[in-house]
Amino acid sequence: MSVEAVTLLMFLTMLLLLASGLPVVFVLGGSALVFGYTVWGPASLNVVVAAASDLLRANLLVAVPLFVFMAYMLEKSGIAEDLYGAMHRWMGGLRGGLAAGTVLACTLVAAMSGISTTGVLMMGIIGLPAMLRRGYDRRLAMGSIMAGGALGPLIPPSIVMIIYSLLSGQSIGKLFVGGILPGLLLSGLFIAYILIRCFLRPDLGPPLPPQERAGWREKAAALKGVLLPGLIVLGVLGSLFVGIATPTEAASVGALGAILSAAVYRRLSPAVLKAVAFQSLKTVSMVMWVIFGAGCFATIYQGIGASEFIQNLIKGWPVGTWVVLLLIQATWIFLGCLMDAISILMVTAPVFIPVAQFLGVDLLWFGVLYAVNTEMGYLTPPFGVNLFVMRGITQELGISTKEIYLAAAPFIGIQFLGLVLVMVFPGIITWLPGLLLK
């Protein structure tokens, strides 16, 4: 069977199985086993097992359960309450200030956890009722929380970037640093949109009444709510960027910081440790199985000569590099409506990374570009993860799924604007890594 026929059949099979609702791991792993056996016979099983085993033994993957544990422990520690309280006191007097402060709080949570749902859960439980009680527009309140939470895969530490580093061979430190400015850019765009819209329509986000606004002494006291999150971010990213810790060791620092935070807030108990451990196990097991299945798929696909086939195919196209890059972005956006970020990366990386290398694209820029792109997937229906999380939070408030989708719509547009900016001005991604990590 020719490589062209195998490519067509593998990807058509994969798409049909995904559309049927079968879990991603079984789609990828099952397709790999069937086509491997068809092309190579029984010997393919040994190749698949060896390749998947090598992938799962990668030292870098040890950081994944540690960062996941850190995220869930932070959720239990009580940091979110103090963090939101600080933003409430400093920004509540502005039109739309609570929503803008929520985005800022989500940005800090993203820098501590690397997971999208953590920020949405924390701020959804704490910030949404506070905004609704003060007359905020429901769509603006929900949209600010979902968009702020989507910063998790972009702002370091990011689980998505750890896996991309493993697949592409790029420095995880450079990827983390490369995500900082795009993350801050998107956070700033969200805040600017909220403040401008509420300035034009004060009824959407009324400021706190004068009697509820904090004085300077209260604002100064509230800064202690930012101190502990700041120390955790400094411990994780600082130890990594200075070069005194590997990504795994930096993840250990974060996990320890999360445990100490829970102890400071007097929420550390055997029951909490057990709950966090089980939540972490469930999440990490899902991630590792997806990696395992995708590793099998990539091994078979590369083994039949896919890289050469794709390069020859591109050579024959009468199009430039930017057309190919735009097609890749469109593919990622489409898949973001159907799959989670890690699954998309594992499915497309065996094809798109060799294409990017062949075209001479900077793989550092390409990886952070994926993280920016995939943020839209957390908000795009029908399967945007943050949409489902918000639906769970608002079940008792009588808010429809349609209203949640509409709340996300303007922020998806802002995310698309951010994607265009980092494509047109690649220095937004590459400048800081080149400055700090030469």
Side-chain angles (χ1 to χ4, degrees):
M1 189 180 296
S2 68
V3 64
E4 294 87 349
V6 174
T7 297
L8 181 62
L9 286 173
M10 283 186 77
F11 281 91
L12 280 177
T13 301
M14 182 186 70
L15 291 174
L16 287 172
L17 291 176
L18 285 173
S20 73
L22 196 67
V24 174
V25 60
F26 298 125
V27 171
L28 295 174
S31 299
L33 292 174
V34 170
F35 282 93
Y37 192 89
T38 302
V39 175
W40 292 338
S44 65
L45 301 178
N46 297 327
V47 176
V48 166
V49 170
S53 178
D54 289 341
L55 181 63
L56 292 178
R57 283 203 302 266
N59 291 332
L60 189 59
L61 283 181
V62 178
V64 174
L66 290 169
F67 279 130
V68 171
F69 177 89
M70 180 178 72
Y72 284 124
M73 184 57 76
L74 287 171
E75 185 185 328
K76 304 289 185 182
S77 69
I79 277 184
E81 288 89 341
D82 274 8
L83 189 58
Y84 186 78
M87 300 304 169
H88 181 278
R89 287 175 174 80
W90 275 90
M91 303 188 69
L94 300 174
R95 295 177 181 176
L98 293 183
T102 297
V103 172
L104 270 179
C106 285
T107 305
L108 283 171
V109 170
M112 291 185 288
S113 69
I115 299 176
S116 172
T117 53
T118 305
V120 180
L121 278 170
M122 287 182 174
M123 293 302 121
I125 293 169
I126 299 164
L128 184 61
M131 286 189 276
L132 295 182
R133 280 197 305 269
R134 288 166 176 82
Y136 269 64
D137 177 73
R138 296 199 301 191
R139 293 182 188 176
L140 182 69
M142 292 188 296
S144 64
I145 293 169
M146 291 187 291
L151 294 169
L154 178 58
I155 295 179
S158 165
I159 304 299
V160 169
M161 287 188 187
I162 291 173
I163 296 173
Y164 177 82
S165 172
L166 181 68
L167 297 173
S168 66
Q170 292 296 295
S171 161
I172 186 60
K174 288 186 176 181
L175 286 166
F176 277 180
V177 176
I180 293 175
L181 289 183
L184 295 178
L185 170 66
L186 277 170
S187 179
L189 289 173
F190 294 150
I191 291 170
Y193 165 76
I194 291 167
L195 295 179
I196 292 171
R197 193 171 179 207
C198 291
F199 178 78
L200 299 174
R201 290 273 310 275
D203 58 299
L204 297 179
L208 292 177
Q211 64 272 18
E212 290 189 33
R213 296 178 191 176
W216 285 107
R217 181 174 296 180
E218 290 179 279
K219 289 181 179 180
L223 288 177
K224 68 179 182 181
V226 183
L227 179 61
L228 199 53
L231 289 175
I232 293 175
V233 172
L234 183 63
V236 175
L237 302 185
S239 62
L240 185 63
F241 297 158
V242 171
I244 61 175
T246 65
T248 301
E249 291 164 347
S252 302
V253 171
L256 178 61
I259 292 172
L260 293 176
S261 299
V264 167
Y265 285 92
R266 298 182 179 179
R267 294 194 177 183
L268 185 62
S269 67
V272 167
L273 279 173
K274 181 179 178 181
V276 169
F278 271 103
Q279 284 180 307
S280 301
L281 178 63
K282 287 167 61 179
T283 300
V284 172
S285 297
M286 180 273 292
V287 171
M288 291 303 180
W289 272 109
V290 170
I291 291 173
F292 176 82
C296 296
F297 188 89
T299 299
I300 295 297
Y301 189 56
Q302 295 292 350
I304 63 174
S307 296
E308 295 80 5
F309 164 63
I310 292 168
Q311 290 177 11
N312 293 332
L313 184 65
I314 293 173
K315 284 179 184 177
W317 284 5
V319 296
T321 299
W322 276 103
V323 175
V324 176
L325 286 173
L326 289 174
L327 288 173
I328 289 174
Q329 302 310 307
T331 302
W332 281 338
I333 291 171
F334 170 73
L335 291 177
C337 298
L338 306 173
M339 301 163 64
D340 65 274
I342 293 174
S343 299
I344 296 169
L345 179 60
M346 297 305 295
V347 168
T348 60
V351 178
F352 289 166
I353 289 178
V355 168
Q357 286 179 309
F358 177 75
L359 294 173
V361 173
D362 183 348
L363 290 186
L364 168 66
W365 176 72
F366 191 69
V368 179
L369 194 65
Y370 172 74
V372 175
N373 186 304
T374 198
E375 285 203 14
M376 283 185 281
Y378 286 91
L379 300 185
T380 48
F383 298 118
V385 176
N386 288 5
L387 302 174
F388 285 114
V389 175
M390 182 57 66
R391 185 75 187 101
I393 293 170
T394 59
Q395 273 185 338
E396 298 179 358
L397 300 178
I399 296 175
S400 66
T401 301
K402 179 182 177 181
E403 193 167 1
I404 294 173
Y405 287 175
L406 291 174
F411 292 93
I412 296 172
I414 296 171
Q415 289 171 328
F416 184 78
L417 172 61
L419 177 65
V420 171
L421 288 174
V422 296
M423 289 188 72
V424 175
F425 303 104
I428 297 173
I429 293 173
T430 59
W431 176 74
L432 201 56
L435 180 68
L436 299 180
L437 301 174
K438 293 181 179 180

